[in-house]
Amino acid sequence: MKEFIELFFSSTLGGIFALFVLKNWLTARINNSIKSEYDRQLELYKRELDRKQKIDLVAELLAEWIKHPYGEPIPKDQRTKLNKLSFQASLWLPKELAVELNKTLQHRPDSKSIFDILLFARNQLLGDEYLTADVVTFWKPELEKLGDPALSMPNQKNHSTGPAQNSAQLG
């Protein structure tokens, strides 16, 4: 009987110890799995944010660049902003995109249009090749004098006859 009691207590203690170890192991395993998933999601979020910041940089640089028509003087504060954006683009963007963007900004003969640069940036940074230049809208400088017909006539279906045009109409 004494042996039975000793055996019972030792197996009970061994079982309790095994359950304790198993519980701690499972808890650590679940916690590490959750942490790993959160770390993965955080890394994906950081990459997406980085891509969006680069796309925003390209869009802002091009918008600032076309504020003043080619050949017109650029005020010092505008020139400073353009230099800052251009330098950031040269530092942060992928090589191919930075090269093509700078060719366009420098008015090189082999440069892409601003619409092609936008789509090239979209392709380089998002991997999206499906948007085409004919759907990119450009609000011409005449809007400063004429106003936006799209805002004054909300039921108008075809806005392509007004000052806002897509890139295919400009080319």
Side-chain angles (χ1 to χ4, degrees):
M1 179 74 163
K2 184 178 178 184
E3 291 173 6
F4 174 74
I5 293 174
E6 286 176 4
L7 181 61
F8 175 75
F9 281 121
S10 63
S11 3
T12 302
L13 286 176
I16 290 173
F17 179 74
L19 283 175
F20 176 76
V21 169
L22 183 62
K23 177 192 154 273
N24 286 341
W25 179 77
L26 282 174
T27 302
R29 176 110 182 185
I30 289 171
N31 286 341
N32 286 338
S33 176
I34 291 170
K35 182 183 180 316
S36 174
E37 181 62 22
Y38 277 120
D39 289 346
R40 188 180 70 75
Q41 291 292 336
L42 179 62
E43 186 59 35
L44 290 173
Y45 175 75
K46 286 179 180 178
R47 285 185 200 158
E48 182 67 22
L49 184 61
D50 182 58
R51 282 193 300 260
K52 286 180 180 180
Q53 288 172 336
K54 288 176 181 176
I55 289 171
D56 187 46
L57 172 63
V58 171
E60 184 179 3
L61 176 56
L62 289 174
E64 288 293 324
W65 181 62
I66 63 173
K67 261 187 188 179
H68 298 280
Y70 184 63
E72 281 190 13
I74 300 175
K76 181 180 180 183
D77 60 328
Q78 179 71 18
R79 185 176 45 81
T80 301
K81 185 172 186 173
L82 284 168
N83 280 330
K84 178 183 177 188
L85 293 170
S86 177
F87 296 158
Q88 287 174 339
S90 295
L91 292 171
W92 295 349
L93 296 178
K95 178 185 174 190
E96 298 84 13
L97 178 55
V99 167
E100 292 301 325
L101 179 61
N102 280 302
K103 283 182 188 179
T104 298
L105 296 173
Q106 296 167 8
H107 296 284
R108 289 196 188 165
D110 61 337
S111 66
K112 297 179 182 294
S113 72
I114 61 170
F115 307 102
D116 291 330
I117 289 293
L118 287 171
L119 297 175
F120 188 63
R122 183 180 175 99
N123 178 291
Q124 289 280 306
L125 300 171
L126 298 177
D128 182 358
E129 299 176 357
Y130 302 108
L131 195 65
T132 57
D134 64 325
V135 297
V136 177
T137 302
F138 174 72
W139 299 94
K140 294 172 32 175
E142 288 83 29
L143 284 174
E144 295 168 8
K145 299 171 191 148
L146 302 175
D148 184 359
L151 294 177
S152 62
M153 296 179 277
N155 294 329
Q156 184 179 359
K157 296 286 185 204
N158 184 358
H159 302 294
S160 64
T161 58
Q165 295 182 341
N166 65 33
S167 61
Q169 292 170 314
L170 295 174

